[in-house]
Amino acid sequence: MDGLYLPLFAFVLFHCSLYLFDTIFKSCLFLPYLHLLKNTGLQIQPFRLIWFTTAFNRLIQKWGSVRPRLLTAWFTVGTWTAMALLPYAVWLLLHSVFHMMKQAIRDDSMPSSDSVILQPVVPGVNLPVTDLGYYMITLLFSTIIHELGHAIAAVREDAHIAGAGTMLVFAVPVAYVCIEQLESLPPIKQLRILCAGIWHNIVLILAAWLALFLLPWVVYPLYDYGTGVQVQYLDKGSPVTGPSELLLGDRIIQLNRCKVSNVDDWLNCLVKSFREPSPGFCISAEFIKEHDESIPAKHMSSGAVECCASNNPRHLCFEYLESESEPLELPQHSCLNVRTVVEAAQQLCHKPASAALGEGGANSECGFNYHCFRPSLENNTKLVLLKRENGREVLFLGHPSDIYNTVHVTDFISLYTIFPSIFPEMFAQLCRFLIMFSAGFAVINVIPCFAFDGQNITRALMDLLLSKTVSHSSVRHAIALCITMAGTFLVGLYLALAVWIML
């Protein structure tokens, strides 16, 4: 939330300053300013900046007149697609409301990862402020594609386009198109126009997904993909920075025993490192006898065992995980240098010998003459090994969330220093935001709700479906109004619950 205040204050200051200057210039009848507003189509309202123009009308008319049969078929498919989306969107809204009610009762602000729900996106709350640029660009582009669908379909169905424009509502940029005499058209033509925006958002989702899917192959000569993750940047003060620690451009290929091929693997491995105990190390009895610097062990209140002196900051107390039924001449706890253990370990191990014994009582994970030793740590403290393609492993002792919060990685591994990985990563992020916002627009606009396309879609749908059974249009419109009021109530309840949970 802290990162939200600065951009929030900037937008408040921007709108207040604009409205103040607009009020002063209009009250003084400053003619150059009034002419500027008239000629540019600008309107300044409290926390709203509106631009309206007729400059694109001829271009829209031209686009709507190309291949009329193909366009009619295109928007007919869009109408059927939107109608198929309608029941799913209503179910998703009901499911989201029910899910959020359970969250509110449990006082839980984190949604379940295995549940698909509608989730409002608020910069600084559940979206990093650093992604504000992606947020505004993709939001504006999604609405432009949406409104362009309405405009071209309106031309195709002989509706009049009064003009188009954009609007900045506080910090939310949206596009809009003004269509006149829409209600005078037959219901099927109304549906083609009203569903065209939703259809174009669905097409935009498919296009963005295809671009995201093909991106690794397009950039392959310059970037590698699927062979690890590359450190894109590190936050200042990150606990994994230092002369022998992570560096910018490092390729991470493994986290403990978890293979890392992409960012999803990276996140899953971090979660796994948090949920599971720190790994053990397969080391020989000779190594223990040579390097053990333990003192009498002390059991800490946290459950950990301390067997190292305070002057050994690079040492940890390692616990012997062999079966007690097979006693060997090895101490239960040994104080060892962590780096030395990592470099000398044959492999990592997790299970004690009581779970699986090999020949001669040796741990089957480690093999003959090697024994499993695991660091004795507090519950939330983990030893994490980050294996790089070049350079020795990075050792991290602490909470894995510190790695997640301070190390930023990318799927695209730069093969040449003059081509940084930020370029394909930015394009991929734009595609992800386009998919997210276009999907949101398609779902929310098909739901019967005031101020959205669903309001007019419901009305036209009732006219089309009930024209033979309900002769009076006023009755059909009353039915549509009741459905829209119910949908609006659900959307309002969903937004209220979302705000309650986020706050």
Side-chain angles (χ1 to χ4, degrees):
M1 289 291 290
D2 294 340
L4 178 63
Y5 295 129
L6 183 58
L8 187 66
F9 175 75
F11 278 111
V12 170
L13 183 62
F14 171 75
H15 282 285
C16 290
S17 301
L18 274 183
Y19 189 68
L20 176 63
F21 288 129
D22 181 69
T23 304
I24 293 173
F25 288 153
K26 284 181 177 178
S27 61
C28 296
L29 296 177
F30 187 55
L31 293 180
Y33 176 72
L34 297 178
H35 285 307
L36 176 67
L37 293 181
K38 182 178 180 181
N39 294 333
T40 58
L42 286 173
Q43 297 180 48
I44 299 175
Q45 300 176 2
F47 297 103
R48 294 175 71 186
L49 179 61
I50 305 171
W51 175 60
F52 180 80
T53 182
T54 58
F56 302 110
N57 286 17
R58 182 173 297 179
L59 182 61
I60 294 172
Q61 288 284 344
K62 181 179 178 180
W63 287 345
S65 302
V66 176
R67 297 188 178 274
R69 290 185 178 180
L70 181 60
L71 283 178
T72 300
W74 173 260
F75 290 118
T76 300
V77 172
T79 302
W80 284 104
T81 304
M83 292 300 98
L85 178 64
L86 177 58
Y88 174 75
V90 173
W91 172 85
L92 186 60
L93 178 62
L94 289 169
H95 176 68
S96 300
V97 169
F98 179 72
H99 183 87
M100 287 187 171
M101 288 178 68
K102 291 199 300 183
Q103 284 183 245
I105 293 173
R106 296 197 311 262
D107 194 21
D108 183 8
S109 61
M110 295 298 293
S112 300
S113 58
D114 59 348
S115 180
V116 179
I117 64 169
L118 290 172
Q119 186 73 19
V121 178
V122 182
V125 178
N126 57 358
L127 180 75
V129 178
T130 53
D131 288 338
L132 187 60
Y134 296 110
Y135 176 88
M136 299 189 71
I137 291 172
T138 52
L139 189 61
L140 180 60
F141 188 72
S142 296
T143 58
I144 289 174
I145 297 299
H146 179 95
E147 296 301 324
L148 188 61
H150 287 316
I152 296 176
V155 172
R156 185 67 262 135
E157 303 299 336
D158 297 325
H160 181 255
I161 303 293
T166 59
M167 182 187 310
L168 182 66
V169 183
F170 190 62
V172 181
V174 294
Y176 69 97
V177 62
C178 184
I179 303 174
E180 296 179 343
Q181 302 172 345
L182 179 62
E183 294 182 2
S184 63
L185 296 174
I188 187 62
K189 290 192 173 185
Q190 292 184 44
L191 282 175
R192 286 199 191 103
I193 296 172
L194 295 168
C195 295
I198 298 168
W199 170 235
H200 274 211
N201 281 133
I202 294 173
V203 172
L204 182 59
I205 294 170
L206 296 176
W209 178 86
L210 182 62
L212 193 60
F213 177 77
L214 295 177
L215 184 59
W217 284 271
V218 173
V219 302
Y220 174 70
L222 304 177
Y223 302 91
D224 201 359
Y225 184 89
T227 59
V229 294
Q230 189 173 55
V231 179
Q232 197 169 41
Y233 60 95
L234 297 162
D235 288 351
K236 187 177 181 180
S238 174
V240 294
T241 57
S244 61
E245 306 299 340
L246 272 184
L247 301 173
L248 292 179
D250 278 345
R251 183 188 303 199
I252 302 173
I253 58 176
Q254 193 168 308
L255 191 152
N256 291 343
R257 284 205 304 187
C258 185
K259 184 180 179 181
V260 176
S261 299
N262 50 48
V263 171
D264 289 338
D265 288 346
W266 166 256
L267 297 177
N268 291 334
C269 291
L270 280 175
V271 172
K272 188 176 180 181
S273 69
F274 169 71
R275 292 178 176 174
E276 295 182 353
S278 297
F281 300 89
C282 295
I283 48 184
S284 64
E286 291 75 12
F287 178 88
I288 297 295
K289 295 175 181 177
E290 181 180 353
H291 294 87
D292 185 12
E293 300 180 21
S294 60
I295 60 176
K298 294 185 298 183
H299 290 268
M300 312 298 290
S301 58
S302 60
V305 176
E306 180 57 62
C307 64
C308 293
S310 58
N311 59 349
N312 284 335
R314 298 180 182 274
H315 290 58
L316 284 178
C317 187
F318 285 80
E319 181 183 2
Y320 183 34
L321 294 185
E322 296 289 353
S323 172
E324 294 181 359
S325 61
E326 298 287 341
L328 297 174
E329 295 181 0
L330 290 175
Q332 184 65 36
H333 297 92
S334 299
C335 179
L336 304 170
N337 182 282
V338 182
R339 173 66 66 182
T340 307
V341 169
V342 171
E343 293 178 350
Q346 183 193 44
Q347 64 183 59
L348 301 185
C349 56
H350 286 79
K351 296 179 182 179
S354 57
L357 287 174
E359 183 183 355
N363 190 301
S364 61
E365 277 193 292
C366 295
F368 187 66
N369 284 338
Y370 282 86
H371 312 279
C372 190
F373 280 78
R374 185 172 63 196
S376 179
L377 303 170
E378 298 179 2
N379 292 334
N380 292 328
T381 302
K382 307 291 182 180
L383 178 61
V384 180
L385 279 63
L386 301 176
K387 186 176 181 179
R388 298 177 287 184
E389 185 181 47
N390 298 314
R392 60 181 183 174
E393 287 180 300
V394 175
L395 308 182
F396 169 79
L397 186 65
H399 200 286
S401 63
D402 292 335
I403 301 177
Y404 171 78
N405 292 325
T406 62
V407 180
H408 305 272
V409 299
T410 176
D411 285 321
F412 299 94
I413 300 169
S414 177
L415 300 178
Y416 305 95
T417 55
I418 60 173
F419 297 106
S421 59
I422 190 173
F423 296 123
E425 184 62 34
M426 288 175 62
F427 183 80
Q429 189 73 333
L430 279 172
C431 290
R432 296 186 194 103
F433 271 83
L434 281 174
I435 293 171
M436 177 173 62
F437 283 122
S438 292
F441 271 118
V443 170
I444 201 66
N445 272 284
V446 78
I447 293 174
C449 180
F450 292 115
F452 291 103
D453 293 335
Q455 176 185 357
N456 294 319
I457 288 174
T458 304
R459 181 170 176 163
L461 196 58
M462 292 300 101
D463 281 334
L464 183 65
L465 297 178
L466 303 180
S467 58
K468 294 182 179 179
T469 56
V470 181
S471 58
H472 296 286
S473 62
S474 59
V475 177
R476 297 196 297 268
H477 294 167
I479 295 173
L481 179 63
C482 292
I483 295 174
T484 305
M485 290 176 64
T488 305
F489 171 77
L490 285 175
V491 172
L493 179 60
Y494 158 77
L495 293 175
L497 289 170
V499 172
W500 174 271
I501 291 172
M502 286 190 292
L503 293 179

